[in-house]
Amino acid sequence: MRDTREYLIKTTTDFPALRRGALEILQVNLGYKCNQSCVHCHVNAGPSRTEVMTPDTLDAVLQALDHLAIGVLDVTGGAPEMHPQFRELVLAAKRLGVRVIDRCNLTILSEPGYEDLGAFLAEHEIEVVASLPCYLEDNVDRQRGKSVFQQSIAGLRQLNALGYGHPGSERVLNLVYNPQGPVLPPAQVELEAQYREVLQREYGIAFHHLLTLANMPIARFGATLLAKGEFDAYLALLRHSYNAKTLPGLMCRHTLSVDWQGYVYDCDFNQMLNVPLGAAAGEAVHLSALAELVLTGQPIAVADHCFGCTAGQGSSCGGALT
């Protein structure tokens, strides 16, 4: 797989300088092992990956949540639920009064050994952000693998039966949309209405909100663009679609990304490109040393891939920004 880092990380960039606000979210990657290998995956996760966060690093995550009074733990992977201590981490974070988000691929709910996962998430009211890149079966299977759509529908029905996704329910279920190729996501509000109508009519499925994300030209998706000769055109599209109104809401302003080894980054895209924390002047920073840093007001490391978060309506782990 070709690395896109050399095409994105240059000596200089004309992306505007950014500075951090108050830290609100700790987004933790528990490892790259996943039961799927999606075309758009920016962490190159898959069944053969073996990277996994150690117990000591998990303890450092909990210490950071406690000592820095971080209100949200956003757990991702890979399939984060495949980490052997996923449930222990979630329960410990909940005991600290932290809101927990599980970025779930839905198909994990039907994997052998995970049959009770949905019930666990529901019992502890873990917020679920579930990837469903289209409401059409062919599109999903082409992007995520054969039969993934039907498995995803089964997972959504299971979550609905457990109380997720219904109006007024505290068991939050949000869906995530990614484009099929090198294009920007459509308007989030209109697309959410389409999702809601089709999923309810065809499958009886309810959810709270749809979050639209732009595909980033890194890892597996970036390598695919290079192989097809589409990388430069896509990066040009992102730059041409720059929207300054998205800057105040960028996730890097209030989120820290933690890799499976415990090193921290301004966002998970910088993590995958190995771009050190902007506040650390180019030095790798481990989670265990985070309390020694003053983050608020410090610079954020930016490069050309950042145009992916500011293109059009903007893109973040919380969906569109404008």
Side-chain angles (χ1 to χ4, degrees):
M1 183 179 72
R2 293 176 66 184
D3 189 357
T4 60
R5 190 179 194 278
E6 63 180 292
Y7 301 93
L8 297 169
I9 309 302
K10 305 171 184 176
T11 304
T12 60
T13 179
D14 57 351
F15 190 86
L18 299 174
R19 290 190 177 274
R20 283 193 159 275
L23 178 58
E24 301 172 359
I25 302 172
L26 198 65
Q27 186 174 73
V28 179
N29 191 312
L30 296 184
Y32 302 149
K33 188 174 182 62
C34 187
N35 60 317
Q36 297 180 185
S37 297
C38 301
V39 172
H40 65 276
C41 183
H42 69 272
V43 301
N44 195 30
S48 63
R49 301 299 295 264
T50 59
E51 298 90 339
V52 62
M53 186 171 279
T54 66
D56 286 346
T57 305
L58 289 171
D59 287 341
V61 168
L62 293 169
Q63 290 173 21
L65 291 170
D66 189 18
H67 295 165
L68 300 176
I70 302 171
V72 181
L73 172 63
D74 187 341
V75 189
T76 184
E81 306 90 349
M82 296 184 80
H83 190 289
Q85 291 179 278
F86 167 78
R87 301 189 190 199
E88 294 176 38
L89 173 67
V90 165
L91 292 178
K94 292 287 287 186
R95 286 194 292 269
L96 293 173
V98 173
R99 170 185 162 211
V100 180
I101 300 171
D102 175 32
R103 295 197 176 262
C104 179
N105 66 18
L106 292 176
T107 62
I108 191 67
L109 295 167
S110 58
E111 288 284 336
Y114 297 89
E115 294 88 351
D116 65 337
L117 174 61
F120 169 82
L121 297 173
E123 178 184 356
H124 301 287
E125 295 190 341
I126 308 304
E127 182 173 331
V128 175
V129 176
S131 182
L132 189 71
C134 190
Y135 48 73
L136 299 176
E137 184 169 2
D138 288 347
N139 286 350
V140 172
D141 286 357
R142 184 162 53 248
Q143 189 178 31
R144 306 186 71 196
K146 186 177 180 180
S147 301
V148 167
F149 180 79
Q150 288 299 331
Q151 293 178 51
S152 299
I153 293 298
L156 288 171
R157 283 174 168 159
Q158 181 186 152
L159 291 173
N160 277 177
L162 291 164
Y164 274 97
H166 300 289
S169 172
E170 294 186 0
R171 293 174 178 173
V172 177
L173 172 60
N174 293 328
L175 305 183
V176 175
Y177 165 89
N178 293 88
Q180 293 293 307
V183 296
L184 296 181
Q188 181 170 286
V189 173
E190 287 81 358
L191 187 61
E192 178 179 300
Q194 294 173 26
Y195 262 70
R196 197 176 306 281
E197 193 275 329
V198 173
L199 291 179
Q200 180 59 237
R201 184 187 71 235
E202 299 293 331
Y203 307 103
I205 287 171
F207 64 95
H208 285 110
H209 295 292
L210 178 72
L211 313 178
T212 58
L213 273 66
N215 291 323
M216 296 298 282
I218 58 179
R220 192 176 293 145
F221 183 71
T224 299
L225 293 178
L226 287 173
K228 293 182 176 180
E230 298 174 338
F231 183 88
D232 290 342
Y234 185 58
L235 190 57
L237 171 65
L238 298 180
R239 295 175 63 92
H240 178 73
S241 305
Y242 169 73
N243 180 359
K245 293 180 179 179
T246 64
L247 294 177
L250 291 175
M251 60 185 177
C252 55
R253 290 187 179 276
H254 54 79
T255 299
L256 268 184
S257 174
V258 184
D259 73 8
W260 66 277
Q261 295 175 296
Y263 290 97
V264 295
Y265 303 82
D266 287 304
C267 71
D268 59 337
F269 306 123
N270 281 8
Q271 177 190 141
M272 296 314 302
L273 292 167
N274 196 29
V275 177
L277 191 70
E283 296 293 327
V285 176
H286 194 268
L287 190 62
S288 57
L290 194 58
E292 302 171 11
L293 290 180
V294 176
L295 293 176
T296 303
Q298 293 300 307
I300 294 168
V302 297
D304 282 358
H305 64 287
C306 298
F307 285 104
C309 290
T310 58
Q313 63 189 334
S315 176
S316 77
C317 287
L321 299 174
T322 62

